[in-house]
Amino acid sequence: MVLNPVLGKLVSKRVVLASASPRRQEILTNVGLRFEVVPSWFKETLEKSSFTAPYEYAVETAKQKALEVANRMHVKHLRTPDIVIGADTIVSVDEQILEKPVDKQDAYRMLSRLNGKEHSVFTGVAIIHCHSKDNQLEMDITDFYEETKVKFSELSEELLWEYIHSGEPMDKAGGYGIQALGGMLVEYVHGDFLNVVGFPLNHFCKKLAELYYPPSKHNVQHKKYNSIPSVDTFENLSDGESESSNFTKHKGASKLDSSGIHSSGAVYTSENSSAVRTGFTVPLENQNGVSQSAAKLPSKILELMDGFRASKALFVASKLKIFDHLKDKGPVKAVDIANDVGTSVCGTERLLDACASLGLLEKTPQG
């Protein structure tokens, strides 16, 4: 995993996340990054019309969040951080920027604009490396953004208000959370799923690798696969490549001072579902500062994305009224359900198996 060597470099550094977002904290914790949380006090009052593109607004907001925390910790807390990470996620549709709704009516306005449309989710990220010189704070800033395309299904007024009354939209950019109930609103996602959740982990890992281990030409290989864009693979990312624990400045960095489912014979029956809670802990570290469970870390990210898959299965089953067909009946075969709802037997079996695995239905051994 490309981030593992970098973690060894960061273990002795004071890394600060300038965000109170529990989703960003979970994503970064799951890859083994050690950090403290210092929410930014920056008021997000930048004039949106002054930016030529939505992503520029997200990047600048992320930068200002990180700068505020870096300066505050240096001056007021008398603790100069080594690295401050700032992030800001926005939704853009019809050239309009949507942030977090201020109330339920605002959430309804946002979701109505997204209804049945494709929109873009932008996350701007700023990585600030800080150092104090003659009691003055100097900062090297690297920033980037990630864009993901998301399409909403055509949704009824009733479904929109039901989702709004759940309370979930109120702290989410664009008024929805794709990793939870909001996943039922989404028809498709093109791009980084975690970017929509709130943090573009893949791009962030690559950027850190570029900063700490800039690859030489002979260390970069372009591997091409059918229907998949070429990717850069960084070889020999070991501590032996660099004697210095300081990061190497990326050519794009700027510098500022402180002013700146399978058997057709299976039978299914309806069952009351119960909420499943998942938790996470900070992985233990070895002497090099790298998580001992590094090999298992990707599975934790997959668990986060499973929430989206689960919500999509529930959405499709609800749209086809699967549960209504089973509510007043005994055990029913998949082929009979397929005939009732007008779907293919194979597709219906897969959907029913998915619902059974989620505990929404019960699969019996009867044929």
Side-chain angles (χ1 to χ4, degrees):
M1 187 176 178
V2 76
L3 188 58
N4 284 346
V6 180
L7 293 179
K9 296 289 186 182
L10 300 182
V11 68
S12 62
K13 297 183 180 296
R14 181 186 297 274
V15 181
V16 175
L17 176 63
S19 173
S21 167
R23 293 166 293 280
R24 293 187 183 122
Q25 295 173 33
E26 182 175 3
I27 291 171
L28 290 174
T29 298
N30 282 346
V31 295
L33 183 64
R34 291 182 57 192
F35 59 91
E36 59 185 282
V37 176
V38 180
S40 177
W41 293 353
F42 174 71
K43 295 182 179 180
E44 300 177 31
T45 56
L46 298 176
E47 180 54 53
K48 297 179 179 66
S49 61
S50 64
F51 296 90
T52 58
Y55 73 84
E56 294 178 355
Y57 172 81
V59 169
E60 185 61 28
T61 301
K63 189 187 303 182
Q64 293 302 322
K65 286 180 178 180
L67 286 171
E68 187 280 325
V69 169
N71 279 291
R72 174 157 47 96
M73 292 187 69
H74 176 72
V75 176
K76 293 187 177 182
H77 298 181
L78 301 179
R79 296 185 305 158
T80 302
D82 295 305
I83 301 170
V84 180
I85 302 167
D88 186 63
T89 301
I90 61 170
V91 170
S92 176
V93 60
D94 299 330
E95 299 183 355
Q96 181 180 358
I97 294 175
L98 306 180
E99 296 184 283
K100 298 174 183 177
V102 295
D103 53 33
K104 289 186 176 182
Q105 197 61 44
D106 193 29
Y108 174 75
R109 179 186 63 83
M110 290 184 180
L111 293 171
S112 296
R113 291 187 66 89
L114 301 177
N115 197 2
K117 295 180 181 178
E118 183 181 83
H119 59 274
S120 292
V121 179
F122 294 99
T123 299
V125 178
I127 305 170
I128 301 183
H129 285 79
C130 309
H131 48 277
S132 182
K133 184 177 182 180
D134 298 327
N135 208 30
Q136 295 294 314
L137 179 63
E138 295 186 356
M139 295 172 282
D140 297 288
I141 303 176
T142 301
D143 55 56
F144 65 89
Y145 74 93
E146 185 72 27
E147 178 183 12
T148 304
K149 296 286 188 180
V150 181
K151 168 73 183 301
F152 265 32
S153 296
E154 293 283 351
L155 306 167
S156 66
E157 295 277 311
E158 181 183 7
L159 182 57
L160 288 180
W161 277 111
E162 185 177 345
Y163 178 61
I164 292 169
H165 289 318
S166 74
E168 187 176 277
M170 304 316 298
D171 66 337
K172 313 286 193 307
Y176 72 97
I178 195 171
Q179 74 280 7
L181 293 175
M184 292 189 292
L185 314 178
V186 174
E187 187 171 304
Y188 64 71
V189 177
H190 288 166
D192 186 346
F193 173 80
L194 290 180
N195 183 54
V196 187
V197 177
F199 196 80
L201 181 63
N202 180 270
H203 199 156
F204 175 74
C205 292
K206 289 180 179 178
K207 188 63 66 176
L208 282 185
E210 290 175 13
L211 290 171
Y212 283 88
Y213 297 96
S216 57
K217 291 183 179 180
H218 70 275
N219 280 339
V220 178
Q221 300 174 355
H222 295 278
K223 295 184 179 181
K224 294 185 177 181
Y225 304 87
N226 292 335
S227 75
I228 299 177
S230 62
V231 288
D232 293 340
T233 56
F234 300 94
E235 306 294 341
N236 301 323
L237 297 187
S238 63
D239 285 344
E241 286 190 3
S242 173
E243 295 298 327
S244 172
S245 63
N246 296 327
F247 80 103
T248 304
K249 292 182 185 176
H250 186 257
K251 63 181 180 181
S254 58
K255 188 172 184 178
L256 291 179
D257 57 23
S258 58
S259 62
I261 321 169
H262 310 294
S263 173
S264 60
V267 177
Y268 301 84
T269 181
S270 181
E271 180 183 74
N272 291 331
S273 62
S274 60
V276 178
R277 296 183 178 180
T278 57
F280 64 92
T281 58
V282 178
L284 296 175
E285 297 166 353
N286 61 22
Q287 294 179 348
N288 295 323
V290 180
S291 167
Q292 292 178 357
S293 57
K296 298 181 180 179
L297 289 175
S299 66
K300 297 182 180 179
I301 301 300
L302 292 176
E303 287 175 9
L304 185 61
M305 292 188 288
D306 279 343
F308 175 66
R309 298 190 184 101
S311 66
K312 291 299 292 181
L314 177 58
F315 177 73
V316 173
S318 299
K319 195 170 184 178
L320 293 174
K321 301 185 184 301
I322 296 293
F323 305 112
D324 292 337
H325 282 277
L326 291 170
K327 183 173 65 172
D328 299 322
K329 300 179 181 179
V332 181
K333 291 185 178 181
V335 62
D336 296 328
I337 298 175
N339 291 333
D340 287 344
V341 301
T343 55
S344 70
V345 176
C346 181
T348 303
E349 287 176 351
R350 290 198 296 269
L351 176 61
L352 294 173
D353 278 340
C355 290
S357 69
L358 294 170
L360 301 172
L361 297 175
E362 185 181 63
K363 183 176 180 180
T364 71
Q366 302 173 9

